Amino acid sequence: MYLVWNFLSLAIALAGLAYAVNSFKQIMAKDAGDDLMQKIAKAVQDGAKAFLYAEYKWLAVFVAVAFVLLMIGTDDPANGQFLGFRTAIAFLLGCGASATAGYFGMHCATRAAVRTTQAAKTSLGGALDVAFKSGTVMGMTVVSMGLIGITLLFLIYGAPDANKDAVNYVNYVLGFSFGASSIALFARVGGGIFTKAADVGGDLVGKIEAGIPEDDPRNPATIADNVGDNVGDVAGMGADLFESYVGAIIATAIIGFSLVPGTLTGDAHTLALTNLLMYPVVLAAVGVVASFIGTFRVKADDESKLSEALFGGLIAASIALLIGGAALTMIMKPSPAMAPGSDVLASHWSVYFAMCIGLVGGIIIGKITEYYTSEKKAPSQTIAAQSETGAATNIIHGLATGMASTWGPTLVLAASIFACNEMAGMYGICVAAVGMLSTLGISLGVDAYGPVADNAGGLAEMSHQPPEVRERTDQLDATGNTTAAIGKGFAIGSAALTALALFSAYKVAAGVTLSLDDAKVVMGLLLGAMLPFVFSSMAMKAVGKAANEMVEEVRRQFREIPGIMEGTGEPDHMRCVEISTKGSLKQMVAPGCLAIAAPIVLGMLVGREAVGGLLAGATAAGVMMALFMANAGGAWDNAKKYIESGAHGGKGSDAHKAAVQGDTVGDPFKDTAGPSINILMKLMTIAALIALPLFKVASEV
């Protein structure tokens, strides 16, 4: 059955990839508009391509060094097995799969934006179709590449059996997750720095100092801002969730292996290993089919039905997953022991209900996030009202809103963890993470649609399209802001469960018991809680440094290039793209290295228990920081948009200027530091698992 489940999952993954390719072809067949629109779109495409090429060149050096270190540092020739080689190959495949998914998604998004603008000349529904189809290309590519990578490794490394070290067997493919996490962190941090440097520089000089509208072609940073939307919110988000997706599946497999009933032997033992290993993989494959079904629900012809259509697609996919998951559970009957060596089995239906809790929990977290960030809800509107007394009160209330927003998602996560643990132990918690991410094909599509709609609006403004075109793209963009906020909440929730699953895998592999009576654990706990703050500081300072260069460059061009403000002079857009590219690549190195080095150094100096405390502290503090920063940033952004819709004096008012400054503070919160913390939590744990043989054990300390 091992081969059957693997080949079935691989076939579904390949079908999902074929769907993504076909959707891309359909997008490319659409009208790309007039010459001016295509010229502007080409500038965005070239800028995004140049950034990714430069980023991937730097990452190639990192990948090469890490590959060699994995070959040497994790090798254990015991019993003739070359663990280092297997782990390194899996790492290389994970890097390649993540980079490929990110590049293809961004490649599609930069070409879909201009076609969305052109479609908006005819109808809102046509524009929605192009933008959403582009998002599903990203979503289906991510899940398909993840499943292809995992199933290929399982097929290459062979079926488990009663005589094989189960934990080590799964640890071979842990390298795949390490590769995905490494690429994700650098892509998220680098893309986040790029987009916010351009955004902050453009807003401060263009909106506040020069008094020109957003996306005005006279602003030299406009093209860089549009490029940033793609490299940060499409490629970066895709890499982020790709890493969560594969991490959750692999962590579930590790935990499942450790919970096989000790009373089983021979063929019965092998079957239990197979079912517990393959259940999360096949469940993810069912999710690919469910996502495909959900895409047919997303259709709308007027503004009032946009959110309903997008959320309806998620609900349709979720229902399909519930039905498909029930059928799968009846066939596979995954029944882990509640504890190692226990003869008491958790019912396979307990495992199924744990999956259901994860799926529903993700939806609830998304809706809570929507409440705190939507311009139609009280929190953002209250921040807008505070803007009438200046930027200081806007910022104070935005910070307070972000802090308050942590309680709802945290309560959902805590309740979900408790319920899943009661039903099926740690395996249930891990399956909940997989359940939350199983419909990623459409949920990421709903999220990635937003940057495409945003770019389409910018293209409409820069190419001087009729007012009704910009109105339609703004309607798409407004809904996209909400879906993006929901996506960030979803990403944080899934990251929390995935990090917990990986943490449990670390405890199993390390064989440690963590107690607050142990000074090493407490030390690690404090250091871990500190790391998200230091990491966020590094990321935000990086945005500030890159933004300073952008501000000076935009000011220089306004000052030195004749006729920019009159529209007769041509700003040097590509110079701003170059500044953001160099600044982001230079500044992304230190935060990325911190995430990998911290657990390895602590483990080698102090021991496995200290690393366990480090990971626990980083996860707890990281979830809170990620929620706070993402929701505060989203609330500031939509408070500004609420004012721009005509409230509190509208565009150009003192309240609007204050809101722009608040949004400028929030930009690195929600698009750089906040999302990157999701990856920090998981990458640290994966690095710890990979480097575990190097760590001191209690007897050595």
Side-chain angles (χ1 to χ4, degrees), residues 558-593:
F558 275 135
R559 187 174 60 247
E560 297 180 4
I561 299 178
I564 284 186
M565 292 302 294
E566 292 78 20
T568 57
E570 185 74 19
D572 188 356
H573 294 290
M574 298 314 294
R575 174 58 184 161
C576 292
V577 173
E578 183 183 346
I579 288 174
S580 272
T581 299
K582 289 182 177 179
S584 60
L585 295 180
K586 183 170 63 176
Q587 299 296 332
M588 76 177 187
V589 177
C593 291

Side-chain angles (χ1 to χ4, degrees), residues 364-379:
I364 294 173
I365 290 173
K367 297 303 289 184
I368 294 172
T369 304
E370 179 187 3
Y371 170 76
Y372 278 102
T373 58
S374 173
E375 64 183 281
K376 299 178 182 179
K377 305 297 182 181

Side-chain angles (χ1 to χ4, degrees), residues 306-643:
L306 283 175
S307 293
E308 178 186 334
L310 291 167
F311 193 69
L314 290 174
I315 296 299
S318 299
I319 294 172
L321 178 64
L322 292 175
I323 297 171
L328 177 68
T329 304
M330 284 191 292
I331 296 171
M332 298 190 74
K333 294 182 172 60
S335 302
M338 296 297 290
S342 172
D343 293 333
V344 180
L345 302 183
S347 165
H348 56 275
W349 287 116
S350 297
V351 175
Y352 170 74
F353 287 125
M355 183 275 291
C356 296
I357 289 173
L359 179 64
V360 175
I363 295 172
I364 294 173
I365 290 173
K367 297 303 289 184
I368 294 172
T369 304
E370 179 187 3
Y371 170 76
Y372 278 102
T373 58
S374 173
E375 64 183 281
K376 299 178 182 179
K377 305 297 182 181
S380 290
Q381 292 181 2
T382 304
I383 296 173
Q386 293 291 322
S387 302
E388 291 194 357
T389 52
T393 49
N394 171 287
I395 292 171
I396 290 171
H397 206 82
L399 290 171
T401 299
M403 293 175 184
S405 72
T406 60
W407 77 268
T410 303
L411 186 62
V412 173
L413 284 171
S416 299
I417 290 168
F418 177 80
C420 292
N421 186 68
E422 288 294 303
M423 289 181 180
M426 186 50 64
Y427 190 77
I429 296 173
C430 295
V431 169
V434 177
M436 187 177 287
L437 289 161
S438 290
T439 56
L440 188 60
I442 187 170
S443 59
L444 180 54
V446 170
D447 185 35
Y449 133 93
V452 175
D454 188 15
N455 270 215
L459 281 163
E461 183 73 29
M462 287 184 280
S463 61
H464 313 293
Q465 298 301 314
E468 63 269 17
V469 176
R470 184 61 196 258
E471 288 173 6
R472 288 169 181 154
T473 58
D474 282 351
Q475 290 169 6
L476 293 175
D477 187 28
T479 305
N481 288 328
T482 301
T483 61
I486 293 173
K488 286 183 173 65
F490 176 84
I492 296 167
S494 62
L497 289 181
T498 303
L500 180 59
L502 289 167
F503 173 73
S504 300
Y506 173 82
K507 283 185 61 184
V508 170
V512 297
T513 300
L514 304 179
S515 171
L516 292 179
D517 293 333
D518 189 334
K520 295 189 295 293
V521 174
V522 175
M523 180 188 72
L525 192 70
L526 292 173
L527 292 174
M530 169 268 295
L531 277 176
F533 291 87
V534 174
F535 179 87
S536 298
S537 172
M538 296 169 71
M540 293 185 69
K541 285 180 179 179
V543 172
K545 291 177 182 178
N548 282 339
E549 294 184 46
M550 185 65 70
V551 167
E552 292 302 321
E553 174 61 22
V554 175
R555 286 173 175 169
R556 183 195 68 79
Q557 292 198 32
F558 275 135
R559 187 174 60 247
E560 297 180 4
I561 299 178
I564 284 186
M565 292 302 294
E566 292 78 20
T568 57
E570 185 74 19
D572 188 356
H573 294 290
M574 298 314 294
R575 174 58 184 161
C576 292
V577 173
E578 183 183 346
I579 288 174
S580 272
T581 299
K582 289 182 177 179
S584 60
L585 295 180
K586 183 170 63 176
Q587 299 296 332
M588 76 177 187
V589 177
C593 291
L594 175 67
I596 298 172
I600 297 176
V601 172
L602 186 64
M604 295 176 69
L605 293 178
V606 183
R608 300 182 175 191
E609 291 82 4
V611 174
L614 180 86
L615 300 176
T619 300
V623 171
M624 297 304 107
M625 281 287 289
L627 287 169
F628 158 63
M629 300 183 86
N631 291 341
W636 271 315
D637 186 16
N638 282 315
K640 178 198 69 176
K641 287 181 168 60
Y642 180 64
I643 293 174

Side-chain angles (χ1 to χ4, degrees), residues 194-207:
F194 183 108
T195 185
K196 292 305 106 181
D199 198 5
V200 170
D203 282 354
L204 287 179
V205 183
K207 285 186 178 180

Side-chain angles (χ1 to χ4, degrees), residues 15 35 82-83 118 124 167 190 247 249 285 403 406 455 509 514 520 525 583 594 646 675 679:
D35 291 343
F82 298 95
L83 307 185
Q118 180 66 17
L124 179 65
V167 174
I249 294 172
M403 293 175 184
T406 60
N455 270 215
L514 304 179
K520 295 189 295 293
L525 192 70
L594 175 67
I679 308 168

